[in-house]
Amino acid sequence: MCAEELDFIEKYDLLGCIQCGRCTGGCPVATRTPLRVRGFMYDGLNEERLEELSEKPEIWDCTTCFTCAARCPKGLEPLEVLIGLRSLLIEEGKVQPTVRDALESIFKDGNPWGSPRSKRMDWAADLDVKILEPEDEEKTDVMLYICCTDAYDPRVMKVAQALVKVLKAANVDFGLIGEEESCCGSEVRRLGEEGLFEMCDEENVEMMNSYNVGSIVAISPHCYNTLKKEYHGLKHPVLHYTELVAQLLEDGKLTLNTEMKKLITYHDPCFLGKQNDIYDEPRYILTRIPGAEYKDFDRCRERSLCCEGGGGKMWVETESKEERLAEIRVDDAKEMGAEVIAVACPFCLLTLEDATKVKGVDEEMRVADILELLAEAL
Amino acid sequence: MNGKPRIGVYVCHCGTNIAGTVDVEEVVRFAQTIPDVTVARNYSYMCSDPGQALIVDDIEKMGLNRVVVASCSPRMHELTFRKTLNGAGLNPYFLEMANIREQCSWVHEDSIAATEKSKRIIEAAVVKARRLEALDQKEVDVEPATLIIGAGIAGIQAALDIADAGFKVYLVEKSPTVGGHMAQLDKTFPTLDCSACILTPKMVDVANHPNIELMTYSKVEDISGYVGNFDIKVRKKTRYVDVSKCTGCGDCASACRQAGRFANEFDEGMGMRGAIYLPFPQAVPAKYTVDKESCLFLSKGKCGETPKCLEACQPKAINFELEDEIVDFKVGTIIVATGFDVFDATLKPEYAYGVYDNVVTALEFERMVNASGPTGGKVVMLERGKKKKKKKEGEEEEAPKVPESVTFIQCVGSRDKSVGNEYCSRVCCMYTAKLAHLVRDKAPDAEVTVFYMDVRAFGKGFEEFYDRVRREGVRYIRGNPSEIYRKNGKLIVRAEDTLTSTPLEHETDMVVLSVGLCPRTDTRDVIDLLKLSQSSDLFYLEAHPKLRPVDTASDGVYLAGVCQGPKDIPDAVAQAKGAASAAMIPMASGKVKVEAQTSIVDETTCRGCGFCVEVCPYTAIELVEINRMGWHVKAARVNEALCKGCGACAAACLSGSIQQRSFKDLQLLPQIQALGVK
Ligand SMILES: Cc1cc2nc3c(=O)[nH]c(=O)nc-3n(C[C@H](O)[C@H](O)[C@H](O)COP(=O)(O)OP(=O)(O)OC[C@H]3O[C@@H](n4cnc5c(N)ncnc54)[C@H](O)[C@@H]3O)c2cc1C
Ligand SMILES: Cc1cc2nc3c(=O)[nH]c(=O)nc-3n(C[C@H](O)[C@H](O)[C@H](O)COP(=O)(O)OP(=O)(O)OC[C@H]3O[C@@H](n4cnc5c(N)ncnc54)[C@H](O)[C@@H]3O)c2cc1C
Ligand code: SF4
Ligand code: SF4
Ligand code: SF4
Ligand code: SF4
Ligand code: SF4
Ligand code: SF4
């Protein structure tokens, strides 16, 4: 066996796989795309096939939801093999233009949306929020880390604005990073651009460590996961906003007074639930909205269905005639009579809202981030 | 045996294990030059008969009074060579092992250096051998009685064997009845014997055997002493029923105000019981028990005017004044047969056990297919947690629905790192085949599917049984399911058929989770009583996985059944018979030898700090008051029967007052010095 082959096999512990099929069995996209991740665990043992494998279009169908890894009885992470294959392709420069553009934009402007850095703070223009200074003597309790999607996408922007409103209502001492803020690199890593991710890791950690803050609160579960689990040497504790808000409600620092007579359900984002075991906080928050009735999806918590928003899927379209998972989600919500699908992730917001439009139910069914609901319930 | 040391040195080749690396001839030439060495030889296998004969011959002909064997580790062959010395009339503790295999030839490649190292090791051993003392191995009498903890099939079988051999048995069972898990099963693989038919006679036998004292609903509270002489304290919890009067008629249970209100543990919560109950009709002893928590009178102080059961009981057996009873007795040996718990399926939330009524564990399913179980042996869909509607006059009770499809999932909670259980539970492949067969039998129209990742059919008759079940029309699909959800009133099992790479959304009415066998959640109780060790799977650890599978590290304490590791009934019974005969060895001989290399205290220098008392893992040391030249002071004293010679105390003692025989400072320090350590 040559060194490279050993590397690939050892890196992903391919010899530990017993071909049980739990990974494909749980893979949400396996029912609508040709992706059979177990097969890659087996075929990857043959070095001569790596190139051929990396050229299979289905490696781009993976949403990096992590279900395969969470279910694997041998502690393996099959999705990483797919990411590894994407890396091989990227190394050779064979990537789709949409992906290339997103990566270039991150390198140049610190965001994948092809927008200039100077526009990063436009969403907060009228909000009167403190912009943090590095090496400030005075400590600020909370540094908000705003996801690129929240910062630039006109729809998702409202979520970030709601966060500011909610934290102000609870008198939280917080601040924003400002134009210095850059993409966390979660999608970069998952698209297979390891080198660029390492740069995000290094530069962001250095930048964040230079601030005098008590904790970092991320608005997106993808950023949260990256900061918390994939960065090296970050000295501040990292929270997802649902953790902070649930605590504020429990401590009585945030009170909700406006009724919302709606049947609300909640879609667990993979990066918050399956990957970080945060299931209770979002439910705690939603069940405290006055007048609202709360009901879980049948497929909820550890069994939640991925919305297909992660893993770079914002830039790679899946070719499939089968129904999108987000559409299945909307059907299920409709069947239980839900009027609002609450989410806690910018990608879930976009995919599910789009699905309500495709299904023609956007009039009667609303998709909203928990924060938007909270801002209305203050 | 005093006088000038005359030492024999025997260098073993161990085939090429040692001689392949160490120049044994050269080592022997060197040994001959060490002072006090009368003779040095080498031989291919010192442990073989001719090898040992060399030593015996030299002792007799040359008057050797010390022997150094340079070979493997003491763990391997110290006992062998002690017996050799004994056979030649020399005190066996005049032996010193020089380990030139594990500590030299096996771990070095450089032959010259290894030869030099062997010389050092041997010289150091000779230095120690010179200072060895004769030790007396004492014997103690053995109490001809055994305590058996746990009365599942393993405990029952061990009890019957020992009692039949004429020894006394105290059989202590925690629950109100004997039988353990086997009593819950319907049929048993691979022969499909009815479990109750083969178990019940044995349950009755343990209750009636003149040599067995059965204590059910009881708990061992304390164990002290050592092999041959254990002191046992047992708490017999009160049943609030005088067992000498109770006839087992059951009038109380039907009268009880709480009748049918509580989940019956024996039925895995699927059947109901009252506050006074018998777990199942064939329970042994057939005596009713009042459960304190569910009894109105005991928990609330009031049950109507008078408790209904008191009124109903003709022989006046129920008495709420009764209290727990403490009994003390002595035994020579102990067998632990505490069994297992099934894997808690809620730890795999993806299977939605506890969310959907018709995702059941295999043990629940065993109760369902059991003719005396909660559904009378019918395979039906469950509506859990739903209160039964009161039947109106003349109204027909709606017949429960029979599932059109039953699906089994193997390896639930076994072979699964994500829940911390890496081991295979050994019985679930076969009980799945058995239960699948029973579905075929009882609900012939239902489609039966088994999802598996491997089928391990390794026992006698197993593969033949698996072949039979498949041909009965049970679909085996190779793929371990990942998730269960619900769609259009059906359960959907998400899996991949790994043989065709097809993702499946398999529709079914009922899913049976083939849960694995796990160490009991109260495992620590027995560990604390007996200082047992656990293997990495957290089952109790045997003394040697191959050659001492029923012994533990504690002399006189043995293991039987699933508490040592997952196994089926035939294996549990075989191991129980093994443990019974192991426990009878000291009892039959009537005496056991106790450790000779124990510790002794020099009472003239001991400061009575008690440090050794704290470190001794066998509670062999206590502080006693002594008279030192008119002063009453404290000093440590070792109970030699309890001391296992571990040496912890000697290492801990700051004043060097406690010393272990054969490892005294005066013996060890010169040996270390001879190795070149300063
Ligand atoms: C669903 C299922 C189906 C099975 N089907 C089959 C089959 O068809 N054929 C087959 O061969 N095997 C089968 N088995 C395996 C079989 O159940 C076990 O091999 C057998 O029950 C092991 O018996 P045991 O005595 O070791 O343990 P157990 O049956 O668990 O008995 C242990 C006993 O010890 C008692 N106890 C525990 N702790 C204490 C304590 N501290 N003090 C006092 N008492 C205590 C318990 O109350 C219990 O009575 C099946 C297992 C399962 C789960
Ligand atoms: C290739 C191989 C590898 C294995 N590896 C392992 C392993 O790694 N670990 C493990 O645990 N097990 C292993 N096993 C299994 C292991 O060998 C057996 O479990 C074990 O040897 C069984 O011992 P036994 O005493 O029952 O039978 P045997 O070893 O067969 O001993 C039977 C003895 O009886 C004698 N005999 C037969 N008939 C008569 C007669 N009529 N009169 C007098 N004497 C008679 C025979 O000559 C023989 O000496 C392995 C088996 C094989 C084949
Ligand atoms: S779940 Fe794990 S062990 Fe099973 S096939 Fe997938 S990678 Fe292999
Ligand atoms: S991460 Fe999710 S989408 Fe990707 S292979 Fe695993 S289960 Fe499938
Ligand atoms: S009524 Fe009395 S005798 Fe009959 S079972 Fe109950 S306690 Fe025993
Ligand atoms: S016996 Fe079969 S079902 Fe049970 S853990 Fe082993 S392989 Fe899995
Ligand atoms: S026959 Fe031997 S090799 Fe084949 S499955 Fe059984 S144990 Fe394994
Ligand atoms: S040698 Fe070990 S067992 Fe003996 S008294 Fe000392 S510490 Fe206790």
Side-chain angles (χ1 to χ4, degrees):
Chain A
M1 261 188 245
C2 77
E4 194 187 333
E5 182 179 358
L6 264 180
D7 276 356
F8 200 85
I9 294 172
E10 258 172 45
K11 186 163 177 196
Y12 305 111
D13 196 10
L14 297 185
L15 293 168
C17 170
I18 53 169
Q19 292 291 307
C20 70
R22 254 191 220 167
C23 43
T24 305
C27 177
V29 299
T31 48
R32 68 180 295 260
T33 84
L35 178 62
R36 309 283 176 266
V37 66
R38 176 190 56 84
F40 287 91
M41 299 301 286
Y42 189 72
D43 295 338
L45 288 169
N46 185 350
E47 186 226 5
E48 277 140 40
R49 295 197 55 193
L50 288 183
E51 192 179 330
E52 170 205 333
L53 294 176
S54 74
E55 281 163 6
K56 290 193 173 209
E58 63 261 35
I59 65 169
W60 297 96
D61 291 337
C62 169
T63 69
T64 68
C65 70
F66 204 70
T67 310
C68 50
R71 304 278 163 76
C72 175
K74 297 294 167 184
L76 311 183
E77 299 189 341
L79 72 151
E80 293 294 340
V81 172
L82 303 177
I83 296 175
L85 292 170
R86 291 176 181 183
S87 295
L88 293 182
L89 211 60
I90 292 219
E91 269 169 36
E92 298 188 12
K94 298 187 203 156
V95 293
Q96 301 144 59
T98 44
V99 172
R100 191 195 51 221
D101 292 349
L103 294 173
E104 256 174 36
S105 165
I106 290 172
F107 185 71
K108 240 175 64 226
D109 291 309
N111 76 79
W113 298 112
S115 302
R117 191 176 277 283
S118 57
K119 293 206 157 145
R120 187 159 191 115
M121 293 309 291
D122 286 5
W123 68 273
D126 314 322
L127 291 179
D128 181 28
V129 228
K130 171 159 84 180
I131 304 292
L132 298 169
E133 291 293 333
E135 319 293 351
D136 196 345
E137 300 237 316
E138 209 173 305
K139 187 170 187 156
T140 304
D141 285 348
V142 169
M143 168 201 268
L144 295 187
Y145 182 75
I146 305 298
C147 168
C148 302
T149 310
D150 287 78
Y152 290 102
D153 185 282
R155 166 65 187 94
V156 188
M157 214 175 255
K158 295 188 185 134
V159 179
Q161 290 159 349
L163 175 60
V164 167
K165 188 169 169 199
V166 169
L167 295 189
K168 280 189 171 177
N171 290 319
V172 174
D173 172 29
F174 70 99
L176 296 167
I177 301 171
E179 282 176 22
E180 294 300 301
E181 192 174 62
S182 279
C183 177
C184 70
S186 170
E187 299 304 281
V188 173
R189 191 176 93 66
R190 286 162 179 79
L191 284 165
E193 186 32 303
E194 270 177 53
L196 184 55
F197 176 72
E198 273 166 32
M199 192 187 94
C200 296
D201 176 4
E202 250 170 62
E203 291 185 354
N204 279 331
V205 168
E206 197 189 323
M207 180 269 288
M208 290 173 183
N209 282 350
S210 72
Y211 288 92
N212 184 9
V213 295
S215 62
I216 302 176
V217 171
I219 194 165
S220 163
H222 295 257
C223 311
Y224 167 73
N225 183 70
T226 304
L227 265 57
K228 193 173 168 127
K229 301 212 294 218
E230 292 174 355
Y231 275 3
H232 299 86
L234 187 63
K235 64 180 190 189
H236 309 302
V238 183
L239 297 175
H240 183 252
Y241 82 75
T242 51
E243 296 177 284
L244 172 67
V245 170
Q247 192 64 50
L248 293 171
L249 283 168
E250 198 177 328
D251 296 347
K253 291 186 182 141
L254 184 66
T255 46
L256 303 175
N257 303 312
T258 311
E259 284 212 346
M260 184 178 291
K261 284 203 161 22
K262 296 274 185 216
L263 178 59
I264 302 179
T265 188
Y266 170 66
H267 165 83
D268 285 279
C270 303
F271 279 69
L272 200 58
K274 275 179 189 148
Q275 303 196 31
N276 285 290
D277 285 325
I278 298 184
Y279 297 112
D280 295 332
E281 287 84 348
R283 290 174 171 78
Y284 179 87
I285 298 170
L286 290 169
T287 50
R288 259 140 205 88
I289 296 179
E293 193 190 331
Y294 179 78
K295 202 170 166 203
D296 260 325
F297 276 106
D298 171 59
R299 305 175 75 173
C300 64
R301 301 177 72 98
E302 293 89 347
R303 296 182 298 123
S304 178
L305 184 63
C306 174
C307 77
E308 287 186 274
K313 297 298 300 170
M314 287 287 153
W315 300 277
V316 192
E317 190 53 45
T318 292
E319 301 281 337
S320 170
K321 290 191 193 67
E322 301 291 326
E323 206 172 24
R324 287 198 189 138
L325 302 180
E327 291 165 22
I328 298 180
R329 223 42 187 159
V330 168
D331 281 343
D332 289 349
K334 205 175 127 198
E335 200 182 299
M336 69 166 127
E339 294 157 285
V340 181
I341 304 179
V343 298
C345 167
F347 297 155
C348 299
L349 182 63
L350 291 172
T351 51
L352 289 170
E353 201 166 76
D354 190 47
T356 56
K357 289 177 190 148
V358 173
K359 287 264 150 191
V361 295
D362 51 324
E363 295 287 312
E364 66 235 55
M365 190 183 301
R366 180 177 170 201
V367 179
D369 195 282
I370 293 178
L371 287 167
E372 298 177 283
L373 302 177
L374 277 178
E376 290 165 32
L378 287 173
Chain B
M1 178 163 324
N2 263 317
K4 194 173 155 31
R6 294 178 63 78
I7 305 176
V9 176
Y10 299 88
V11 181
C12 183
H13 302 186
C14 195
T16 54
N17 273 300
I18 295 171
T21 315
V22 173
D23 181 347
V24 287
E25 305 276 349
E26 164 69 14
V27 170
V28 165
R29 274 194 294 280
F30 166 79
Q32 281 160 345
T33 67
I34 307 172
D36 296 335
V37 170
T38 309
V39 59
R41 300 181 194 278
N42 62 78
Y43 188 70
S44 51
Y45 292 103
M46 280 309 302
C47 57
S48 66
D49 269 354
Q52 295 188 46
L54 277 179
I55 303 177
V56 175
D57 215 42
D58 286 350
I59 292 172
E60 284 167 359
K61 300 222 172 89
M62 300 187 175
L64 300 182
N65 56 15
R66 304 281 195 281
V67 171
V68 171
V69 181
S71 59
C72 47
S73 75
R75 213 194 156 101
M76 189 79 207
H77 273 313
E78 191 170 51
L79 270 183
T80 313
F81 294 115
R82 273 195 196 149
K83 282 186 188 145
T84 314
L85 267 63
N86 206 32
L90 194 60
N91 185 291
Y93 293 91
F94 281 129
L95 169 75
E96 184 64 21
M97 300 283 290
N99 184 347
I100 59 166
R101 193 179 74 171
E102 287 84 341
Q103 293 180 357
C104 187
S105 67
W106 275 1
V107 290
H108 299 299
E109 280 170 9
D110 178 345
S111 169
I112 294 173
T115 304
E116 279 314 300
K117 182 171 171 183
S118 296
K119 290 182 189 171
R120 288 279 79 72
I121 293 173
I122 291 169
E123 184 174 11
V126 169
V127 167
K128 185 177 172 200
R130 227 180 254 146
R131 293 163 171 82
L132 286 175
E133 300 164 326
L135 300 181
D136 223 6
Q137 194 162 33
K138 293 201 184 73
E139 284 187 333
V140 295
D141 289 338
V142 176
E143 185 72 30
T146 300
L147 163 69
I148 299 179
I149 308 176
I153 183 59
I156 289 174
Q157 187 59 54
L160 290 174
D161 281 9
I162 295 174
D164 282 346
F167 298 103
K168 172 98 191 162
V169 173
Y170 297 91
L171 179 57
V172 178
E173 166 59 48
K174 201 169 197 165
S175 68
T177 175
V178 303
H181 285 97
M182 186 175 168
Q184 293 177 283
L185 309 180
D186 181 40
K187 301 277 194 313
T188 54
F189 65 74
T191 46
L192 298 176
D193 293 290
C194 142
S195 188
C197 314
I198 55 179
L199 177 64
T200 319
K202 286 187 188 284
M203 290 167 58
V204 175
D205 284 353
V206 283
N208 296 336
H209 203 293
N211 286 342
I212 299 179
E213 188 164 335
L214 177 60
M215 301 178 207
T216 48
Y217 210 43
S218 298
K219 185 170 186 275
V220 179
E221 291 213 314
D222 190 50
I223 297 178
S224 59
Y226 47 91
V227 55
N229 296 277
F230 290 107
D231 290 301
I232 314 293
K233 187 195 287 292
V234 171
R235 174 180 295 269
K236 293 169 90 168
K237 291 200 287 175
T238 178
R239 297 169 183 259
Y240 301 102
V241 170
D242 183 340
V243 291
S244 64
K245 291 187 189 155
C246 174
T247 61
C249 66
D251 292 348
C252 50
S254 2
C256 177
R257 285 197 170 82
Q258 300 281 71
R261 295 235 173 121
F262 300 97
N264 186 0
E265 296 81 355
F266 184 81
D267 283 332
E268 294 298 307
M270 295 200 299
M272 304 305 260
R273 62 165 173 81
I276 186 162
Y277 72 107
L278 192 66
F280 60 107
Q282 303 88 343
V284 170
K287 308 289 177 188
Y288 278 65
T289 305
V290 181
D291 172 40
K292 234 169 151 168
E293 270 72 56
S294 35
C295 169
L296 288 173
F297 188 79
L298 288 168
S299 64
K300 305 244 156 60
K302 195 163 160 27
C303 173
E305 284 296 298
T306 38
K308 288 268 194 191
C309 56
L310 283 182
E311 286 173 0
C313 180
Q314 301 259 336
K316 301 282 163 242
I318 303 171
N319 178 354
F320 287 115
E321 307 288 304
L322 290 177
E323 284 179 2
D324 291 359
E325 201 187 321
I326 304 285
V327 279
D328 297 286
F329 52 89
K330 246 185 175 356
V331 297
T333 51
I334 299 172
I335 295 175
V336 178
T338 48
F340 63 97
D341 282 337
V342 290
F343 174 74
D344 173 3
T346 60
L347 298 176
K348 289 204 71 69
E350 58 266 38
Y351 292 151
Y353 174 75
V355 178
Y356 303 137
D357 285 353
N358 287 289
V359 176
V360 303
T361 69
L363 198 52
E364 289 169 338
F365 201 70
E366 286 280 354
R367 295 310 298 148
M368 189 191 280
V369 291
N370 195 305
S372 62
T375 62
K378 292 203 181 68
V379 176
V380 293
M381 310 234 333
L382 297 174
E383 290 183 63
R384 302 204 222 201
K386 196 172 130 184
K387 286 242 167 72
K388 277 231 177 74
K389 271 185 282 169
K390 273 252 164 69
K391 237 195 317 184
K392 287 201 196 99
E393 206 59 47
E395 194 182 46
E396 278 286 313
E397 203 170 330
E398 212 183 302
K401 236 183 105 203
V402 176
E404 286 165 19
S405 143
V406 178
T407 301
F408 291 83
I409 300 180
Q410 292 199 165
C411 299
V412 176
S414 310
R415 307 177 62 194
D416 190 345
K417 262 192 193 159
S418 73
V419 293
N421 296 338
E422 294 192 35
Y423 57 86
C424 163
S425 287
R426 289 178 50 120
V427 299
C428 8
C429 277
M430 281 300 114
Y431 79 51
T432 302
K434 169 189 74 177
L435 293 172
H437 160 85
L438 291 175
V439 180
R440 271 261 151 280
D441 205 30
K442 292 175 185 255
D445 295 331
E447 197 181 89
V448 189
T449 310
V450 176
F451 282 97
Y452 71 102
M453 42 189 194
D454 299 291
V455 172
R456 297 187 166 168
F458 51 82
K460 196 167 183 163
F462 287 12
E463 184 73 11
E464 296 88 327
F465 181 64
Y466 168 49
D467 285 343
R468 165 179 165 190
V469 171
R470 280 195 329 276
R471 291 214 169 86
E472 286 171 353
V474 173
R475 262 299 299 288
Y476 273 75
I477 299 179
R478 192 188 177 283
N480 200 304
S482 199
E483 199 165 297
I484 298 175
Y485 54 93
R486 196 161 40 192
K487 201 155 80 186
N488 306 329
K490 290 271 187 185
L491 293 172
I492 309 289
V493 178
R494 272 279 272 120
E496 182 193 14
D497 179 340
T498 60
L499 300 181
T500 60
S501 292
T502 315
L504 302 174
E505 294 184 282
H506 172 81
E507 252 187 40
T508 190
D509 291 324
M510 179 173 262
V511 176
V512 183
L513 304 177
S514 296
V515 285
L517 311 187
C518 295
R520 288 181 60 101
T521 47
D522 57 8
T523 280
R524 277 238 68 90
D525 293 1
V526 180
I527 291 181
D528 291 344
L529 278 176
L530 282 164
K531 304 197 172 62
L532 294 176
S533 306
Q534 290 165 289
S535 33
S536 57
D537 55 14
L538 301 182
F539 287 98
Y540 296 137
L541 180 67
E542 63 283 352
H544 187 283
K546 304 227 144 62
L547 301 181
R548 297 180 65 197
V550 301
D551 308 66
T552 66
S554 307
D555 292 340
V557 180
Y558 312 92
L559 302 174
V562 178
C563 67
Q564 178 261 340
K567 49 180 72 67
D568 58 15
I569 296 164
D571 284 359
V573 169
Q575 200 188 23
K577 286 181 159 285
S581 77
M584 287 190 284
I585 294 170
M587 298 200 290
S589 86
K591 292 199 183 306
V592 282
K593 292 206 161 88
V594 294
E595 180 60 54
Q597 293 176 327
T598 51
S599 286
I600 37 166
V601 179
D602 182 349
E603 290 186 356
T604 62
T605 58
C606 173
R607 299 180 303 159
C609 67
F611 204 20
C612 54
V613 179
E614 271 172 48
V615 298
C616 176
Y618 301 97
T619 56
I621 315 177
E622 56 181 347
L623 285 182
V624 295
E625 200 158 283
I626 57 161
N627 183 331
R628 190 184 287 156
M629 296 186 293
W631 299 94
H632 290 280
V633 293
K634 292 230 177 281
R637 186 166 293 167
V638 177
N639 179 339
E640 293 197 3
L642 289 181
C643 173
K644 295 263 194 290
C646 72
C649 53
C653 180
L654 296 173
S655 63
S657 305
I658 194 162
Q659 297 274 327
Q660 193 194 346
R661 294 179 172 92
S662 290
F663 298 93
K664 294 179 172 172
D665 288 354
L666 286 173
Q667 299 165 324
L668 270 186
L669 297 180
Q671 180 183 20
I672 295 170
Q673 207 173 18
L675 283 170
V677 183
K678 271 155 207 132

